[in-house]
Amino acid sequence: MKLAKYLLLPLMGLSLHVSAQTVVNDAWVRATVAGQPSTGAFMHITSDTDSKLVDVKSPVAKIVQIHQSTMENDVMSMQPVESVALPAGKTVNIEPEGYHVMLIDLLGQIKDGDEVPLTLIVEDNKGVKASIDVKAQARALNSMPMHHMNMHDHGAMHPQ
C-alpha cells in the first residue's frame, strides 16, 4: 500500500498544478453598414495573474489595433496603445468609452448576429505570451444599451 501511495503523490501534484488563465466574457463587435471602413470590438477580460493584453488579430480586418478613448476639456480623443494592463483578479472592461479594439479596413460588412473571430495575445508578468481565440457576436447599433450610443465613428479618424 505504501508503494501505491508514493506512486500517486507525484500524480496528485501534477493535477494540482494550474497554469495562468485569462477569461474573456461578453465579447461583441458593433455591426456595420455596407461600405463602413471600421468598427470596434469590446469585451470583459479577467486574468488570474498580472498580465497585459498586447495584441489582437482578426481575419475580418486588414488592421487591428488596441485604442484608448479619453475625454479632456469636453473633447473626445482616441489613441493607439501598446498594451492594456490586466491586474490579477480584476475584470478589465474593453468598451467604447475606454480601451477598445479597432477593426480597421474591414474586408466586408459585419452584420447583426455574425460571429467575428478574434485572437487576443496576452503576456503574463514573466513575459510568456498566450493566444486566446474568441468569437465575438456582432450587435446592431440600435440593440446596444443607451450608454454605448455615444460612440463616435472611429473610421474618420484613420486617414489612409
Side-chain angles (χ1 to χ4, degrees):
M1 192 63 169
K2 284 185 179 182
L3 180 59
K5 187 189 301 183
Y6 288 113
L7 290 174
L8 287 175
L9 283 176
L11 293 175
M12 288 172 50
L14 288 175
S15 66
L16 294 176
H17 175 71
V18 178
S19 62
Q21 185 175 13
T22 301
V23 177
V24 177
N25 289 308
D26 195 28
W28 62 279
V29 171
R30 185 175 61 150
T32 63
V33 295
Q36 184 174 332
S38 62
T39 193
F42 315 98
M43 64 206 75
H44 306 290
I45 305 172
T46 308
S47 179
D48 64 0
T49 62
D50 286 336
S51 301
K52 58 187 174 181
L53 176 64
V54 295
D55 197 10
V56 180
K57 301 174 187 304
S58 180
V60 303
K62 292 179 185 175
I63 300 168
V64 182
Q65 296 177 337
I66 305 167
H67 283 200
Q68 181 179 23
S69 292
T70 55
M71 181 71 79
E72 189 172 322
N73 298 325
D74 293 329
V75 176
M76 179 69 79
S77 67
M78 181 182 67
Q79 299 295 322
V81 295
E82 297 269 331
S83 63
V84 176
L86 303 172
K90 181 180 178 192
T91 298
V92 175
N93 296 321
I94 306 298
E95 57 191 4
E97 297 86 9
Y99 290 110
H100 56 278
V101 175
M102 287 302 303
L103 303 169
I104 305 166
D105 287 342
L106 293 171
L107 300 177
Q109 182 178 357
I110 297 174
K111 297 178 182 171
D112 186 23
D114 286 353
E115 280 194 347
V116 178
L118 303 170
T119 300
L120 282 59
I121 310 299
V122 175
E123 183 178 323
D124 70 14
N125 56 4
K126 295 176 183 151
V128 177
K129 291 182 181 177
S131 297
I132 303 167
D133 291 322
V134 175
K135 296 284 188 197
Q137 184 80 24
R139 298 180 188 167
L141 186 59
N142 62 3
S143 71
M144 287 186 245
M146 288 306 291
H147 69 278
H148 292 300
M149 298 292 273
N150 66 359
M151 182 177 168
H152 58 280
D153 181 13
H154 290 60
M157 300 181 74
H158 300 282
Q160 298 299 318

